[in-house]
Amino acid sequence: MDFRTLCIHGCDKKFDCTGAVSVPIFQSATFAHPGVGRSTGFDYSRTQNPTREYLENIVARLENGAEAIAFSSGMAAVNTLMELFETGSHIIASDDLYGGTHRLFFNISIKKGLSFSLVNSLEQMRRSITPDTRAIFIETPTNPTMQVIDIAAVSQLAEKHRLLLVVDNTFLTPYFQKPLLLGADVSLHSGTKYLGGHNDALAGFLVVKDHDLAERLRFVNNTTGACLSPFDSWLIIRGIKTLAVRLEQQQKNAIQVAAWLERQKSVTAVHYPGLRNHPGYEISRRQASGFGAMISFALTDGETARRMLENVRIIQYAESLGGVESLITYPVLQTHADIPEEERKAKGINESLLRLSVGLESAADIINDLENAFKK
Ligand SMILES: *Cc1c(COP(=O)(O)O)cnc(C)c1O
């Protein structure tokens, strides 16, 4: 079945006998047993719920995974993953990470005795491997500077040293990029972003290609409890139905907006992997079928950046990304505020950098909005 069809008819609605076209929301915390020692397959909604199970099956199929596990947020997914590792384990991560992941690693996970090395090249990655290293965690394209990492190359290294490779696939989604087919063991999502797509629900996913790993993760999730609610599961199911068309159109808009930004005098750099001069353009072409709709750009100074944020009207100054509404954020004050200043500066995350999630409005209106904000 084609990806677009899977988004809509992902799997059988095996728990429904009414013919409901939309998956029912099983808003039940618990399920009655037909007899002693017997189960309908559902016992308690922390463990599993039919609406959530339907969603997990769709996400697993879209990512070409064996199983997907749904969480109450992307961060709950990352945190559950960290519970896999024993005290003393070392994890190598790309140095340009979603700020919340960085905050989790260096404030919570280190208290459990995990240690992290942040790297920005394959060579550094190779050199950072120690006998305690257990995993490599990357994001590509990275947030917010849009660097592209060669997943297959990292996967070769991970395989050679028997390390678990985790790829945060939030920015491109399986519509454009399938990390498990490129050698990753886990594809991670903030389902809050493109999968949900409407800025109305939080969700997270871990998609894995092996049932044993899924079972270990389900054990942690069932034990710690950060599971996705039936209603939010339904919102994400509904969002996924239009994933392909949304991403296709949002990418078209992003290409136009990026080209326009490149021509502006007050814009000193545009980071979008779909631009031919982007250092990750060739790798993107090879490992993904699209470039997505996230752009970051640098302005001449912080004053201009702040003026943009205050003067946009259609685009909203808000955290998050991936929804139908265009959103602009200020990484230095928002998503990446908790990253030490030195680290931030080294990566170019400064007062003049803005990140734009291009939505589904007309490209002309988005560009007009930016133009007006520049003029003010
Ligand atoms: C938002 C985001 C997360 C965290 O997800 P939440 O749903 O906000 O908890 C993780 N990774 C990336 C790349 C994100 O953009």
Side-chain angles (χ1 to χ4, degrees):
M1 229 189 271
D2 183 83
F3 191 95
R4 286 152 213 264
T5 312
L6 279 181
C7 286
I8 296 162
H9 302 287
C11 48
D12 299 337
K13 292 191 273 293
K14 60 181 173 188
F15 307 108
D16 179 64
C17 53
T18 66
V21 166
S22 167
V23 178
I25 304 169
F26 285 84
Q27 194 66 45
S28 185
T30 190
F31 300 85
H33 303 299
V36 176
R38 289 169 60 203
S39 165
T40 59
F42 296 95
D43 304 312
Y44 189 60
S45 279
R46 171 155 37 69
T47 317
Q48 194 49 290
N49 172 283
T51 313
R52 189 165 74 234
E53 185 172 280
Y54 181 87
L55 169 63
E56 290 180 340
N57 289 341
I58 288 197
V59 174
R61 286 190 80 177
L62 295 180
E63 280 276 6
N64 291 74
E67 287 186 49
I69 303 165
F71 297 87
S72 50
S73 72
M75 289 323 302
V78 186
N79 191 44
T80 300
L81 189 67
M82 290 303 117
E83 293 289 350
L84 284 182
F85 304 108
E86 302 293 334
T87 301
S89 299
H90 171 244
I91 293 160
I92 298 172
S94 43
D95 72 344
D96 189 30
L97 280 180
Y98 171 68
T101 303
H102 188 287
R103 183 172 59 205
L104 178 84
F105 287 175
F106 291 97
N107 292 275
I108 310 288
S109 310
I110 57 162
K111 287 200 289 197
K112 295 193 303 212
L114 304 187
S115 65
F116 297 87
S117 295
L118 300 182
V119 301
N120 70 7
S121 71
L122 198 60
E123 190 40 44
Q124 269 189 16
M125 218 173 249
R126 192 173 288 123
R127 277 194 313 234
S128 305
I129 297 172
T130 74
D132 293 324
T133 308
R134 295 289 174 268
I136 300 178
F137 186 108
I138 60 172
E139 219 175 274
T140 182
T142 64
N143 184 354
T145 64
M146 304 303 293
Q147 292 164 44
V148 178
I149 301 175
D150 187 334
I151 300 175
V154 177
S155 140
Q156 277 183 2
L157 183 68
E159 203 170 314
K160 186 166 160 215
H161 296 269
R162 297 171 173 278
L163 308 175
L164 190 80
L165 174 59
V166 184
V167 178
D168 184 331
N169 199 28
T170 300
F171 271 29
L172 289 185
T173 84
Y175 181 61
F176 285 137
Q177 177 170 278
K178 294 192 173 71
L180 300 183
L181 297 185
L182 295 163
D185 300 289
V186 182
S187 178
L188 183 150
H189 282 275
S190 167
T192 314
K193 315 294 169 55
Y194 289 101
L195 297 181
H198 294 75
N199 290 316
D200 54 11
L202 297 179
F205 295 93
L206 293 175
V207 194
V208 298
K209 60 181 173 196
D210 132 21
H211 291 289
D212 287 346
L213 182 58
E215 200 172 314
R216 284 159 64 205
L217 290 165
R218 283 194 195 282
F219 176 81
V220 179
N221 191 21
N222 184 38
T223 305
T224 54
C227 49
L228 192 63
S229 75
F231 182 64
D232 287 346
S233 297
W234 183 83
L235 284 172
I236 308 295
I237 292 168
R238 179 180 160 121
I240 286 176
K241 292 183 194 211
T242 54
L243 178 66
V245 277
R246 279 189 284 110
L247 275 175
E248 213 47 75
Q249 187 57 42
Q250 281 176 253
Q251 168 169 264
K252 274 190 196 149
N253 286 354
I255 290 170
Q256 287 189 50
V257 172
W260 181 83
L261 281 170
E262 271 202 313
R263 296 196 297 272
Q264 306 311 305
K265 273 206 288 299
S266 42
V267 177
T268 57
V270 181
H271 309 293
Y272 178 63
L275 293 171
R276 263 168 228 283
N277 59 12
H278 187 282
Y281 178 77
E282 287 305 328
I283 303 175
S284 295
R285 295 267 314 243
R286 229 182 317 142
Q287 72 181 9
S289 57
F291 306 105
M294 293 299 299
I295 302 173
S296 64
F297 57 101
L299 295 155
T300 41
D301 53 88
E303 181 55 40
T304 313
R306 281 188 293 274
R307 207 170 60 231
M308 295 282 305
L309 293 171
E310 296 200 345
N311 291 323
V312 281
R313 292 287 168 269
I314 290 172
I315 302 167
Q316 294 169 88
Y317 170 32
E319 251 164 274
S320 203
L321 61 103
V324 295
E325 295 90 359
S326 291
L327 300 181
I328 194 160
T329 56
Y330 203 21
V332 75
L333 285 190
Q334 295 175 295
T335 47
H336 291 68
D338 287 340
I339 292 178
E341 195 178 340
E342 249 175 58
E343 256 181 66
R344 239 179 15 220
K345 280 203 174 132
K347 281 177 237 138
I349 307 174
N350 54 35
E351 305 72 53
S352 52
L353 185 80
L354 295 178
R355 191 191 75 186
L356 178 63
S357 169
V358 181
L360 262 188
E361 304 92 344
S362 100
D365 282 341
I366 297 169
I367 290 171
N368 271 340
D369 199 35
L370 290 168
E371 191 163 29
N372 288 336
F374 271 130
K375 275 192 215 139
K376 281 193 181 140

Short mmCIF file of all heavy atoms in Angstrom, two decimals, residues 73-75 98 139 143 168 170-171 190 192-193 203 321, ligand 1:
data_model
loop_
_atom_site.label_atom_id
_atom_site.label_comp_id
_atom_site.label_asym_id
_atom_site.label_seq_id
_atom_site.Cartn_x
_atom_site.Cartn_y
_atom_site.Cartn_z
N SER A 73 4.16 12.59 25.47
CA SER A 73 4.87 13.70 24.81
C SER A 73 6.16 13.14 24.22
O SER A 73 6.56 12.02 24.55
CB SER A 73 5.19 14.83 25.80
OG SER A 73 6.22 14.41 26.69
N GLY A 74 6.80 13.95 23.41
CA GLY A 74 8.08 13.54 22.85
C GLY A 74 9.11 13.34 23.96
O GLY A 74 9.89 12.38 23.94
N MET A 75 9.10 14.23 24.96
CA MET A 75 10.07 14.11 26.04
C MET A 75 9.84 12.84 26.86
O MET A 75 10.80 12.23 27.35
CB MET A 75 10.04 15.35 26.96
CG MET A 75 10.60 16.61 26.33
SD MET A 75 12.05 16.34 25.27
CE MET A 75 13.19 15.57 26.40
N TYR A 98 17.47 19.23 20.07
CA TYR A 98 16.31 19.92 20.63
C TYR A 98 16.65 20.28 22.08
O TYR A 98 17.17 19.43 22.83
CB TYR A 98 15.10 18.99 20.55
CG TYR A 98 13.91 19.51 21.29
CD1 TYR A 98 13.25 20.65 20.83
CD2 TYR A 98 13.46 18.91 22.45
CE1 TYR A 98 12.16 21.15 21.52
CE2 TYR A 98 12.37 19.41 23.14
CZ TYR A 98 11.73 20.52 22.68
OH TYR A 98 10.65 21.02 23.36
N GLU A 139 19.81 13.73 15.72
CA GLU A 139 18.63 14.39 15.20
C GLU A 139 19.04 14.86 13.82
O GLU A 139 20.13 15.42 13.68
CB GLU A 139 18.44 15.63 16.08
CG GLU A 139 17.05 16.00 16.45
CD GLU A 139 17.07 17.17 17.43
OE1 GLU A 139 17.19 16.94 18.64
OE2 GLU A 139 17.01 18.31 16.95
N ASN A 143 18.02 20.70 15.17
CA ASN A 143 17.18 21.78 15.66
C ASN A 143 18.05 22.70 16.52
O ASN A 143 18.56 22.22 17.52
CB ASN A 143 16.08 21.12 16.51
CG ASN A 143 15.06 22.09 17.02
OD1 ASN A 143 15.19 23.29 16.87
ND2 ASN A 143 14.04 21.56 17.67
N ASP A 168 16.07 10.99 16.04
CA ASP A 168 14.88 11.80 16.24
C ASP A 168 14.42 12.26 14.86
O ASP A 168 15.09 13.05 14.20
CB ASP A 168 15.24 12.99 17.16
CG ASP A 168 14.01 13.84 17.51
OD1 ASP A 168 13.07 13.89 16.69
OD2 ASP A 168 14.01 14.45 18.58
N THR A 170 11.54 13.77 14.07
CA THR A 170 10.43 14.71 14.20
C THR A 170 10.32 15.67 13.01
O THR A 170 9.23 15.93 12.51
CB THR A 170 10.60 15.53 15.50
OG1 THR A 170 10.60 14.64 16.61
CG2 THR A 170 9.50 16.56 15.67
N PHE A 171 11.45 16.19 12.54
CA PHE A 171 11.41 17.25 11.52
C PHE A 171 10.96 16.76 10.15
O PHE A 171 10.32 17.49 9.42
CB PHE A 171 12.80 17.91 11.39
CG PHE A 171 13.02 19.06 12.32
CD1 PHE A 171 12.36 19.12 13.54
CD2 PHE A 171 13.88 20.10 11.99
CE1 PHE A 171 12.56 20.19 14.42
CE2 PHE A 171 14.08 21.18 12.85
CZ PHE A 171 13.43 21.23 14.05
N SER A 190 8.46 13.55 18.28
CA SER A 190 7.51 14.36 19.00
C SER A 190 6.29 14.37 18.08
O SER A 190 6.28 15.05 17.06
CB SER A 190 8.04 15.77 19.21
OG SER A 190 6.96 16.57 19.65
N THR A 192 3.63 15.64 18.65
CA THR A 192 3.05 16.98 18.82
C THR A 192 3.21 17.80 17.55
O THR A 192 2.42 18.70 17.28
CB THR A 192 3.83 17.70 19.96
OG1 THR A 192 3.98 16.82 21.06
CG2 THR A 192 3.15 18.98 20.38
N LYS A 193 4.23 17.50 16.77
CA LYS A 193 4.61 18.34 15.65
C LYS A 193 3.89 17.90 14.37
O LYS A 193 2.69 18.04 14.29
CB LYS A 193 6.14 18.33 15.51
CG LYS A 193 6.88 18.48 16.86
CD LYS A 193 6.67 19.83 17.52
CE LYS A 193 7.18 19.90 18.96
NZ LYS A 193 8.56 19.54 19.18
N ALA A 203 2.19 14.53 21.96
CA ALA A 203 2.37 13.07 21.85
C ALA A 203 3.83 12.77 21.54
O ALA A 203 4.57 13.64 21.07
CB ALA A 203 1.48 12.51 20.73
N LEU A 321 6.22 23.52 16.39
CA LEU A 321 6.45 23.50 14.95
C LEU A 321 5.61 22.40 14.34
O LEU A 321 5.02 21.57 15.04
CB LEU A 321 7.94 23.20 14.67
CG LEU A 321 8.49 21.86 15.19
CD1 LEU A 321 8.65 20.84 14.08
CD2 LEU A 321 9.80 22.04 15.90
C1 LIG B 1 9.37 19.15 20.29
C2 LIG B 1 10.47 18.24 20.09
C3 LIG B 1 10.76 17.23 21.02
C4 LIG B 1 9.99 17.10 22.33
O1 LIG B 1 8.66 16.74 22.12
P1 LIG B 1 7.43 17.20 23.03
O2 LIG B 1 6.27 16.58 22.37
O3 LIG B 1 7.42 18.70 23.04
O4 LIG B 1 7.70 16.67 24.41
C5 LIG B 1 11.80 16.36 20.75
N1 LIG B 1 12.54 16.47 19.61
C6 LIG B 1 12.28 17.43 18.70
C7 LIG B 1 13.12 17.50 17.46
C8 LIG B 1 11.26 18.34 18.90
O5 LIG B 1 11.03 19.30 18.00
#
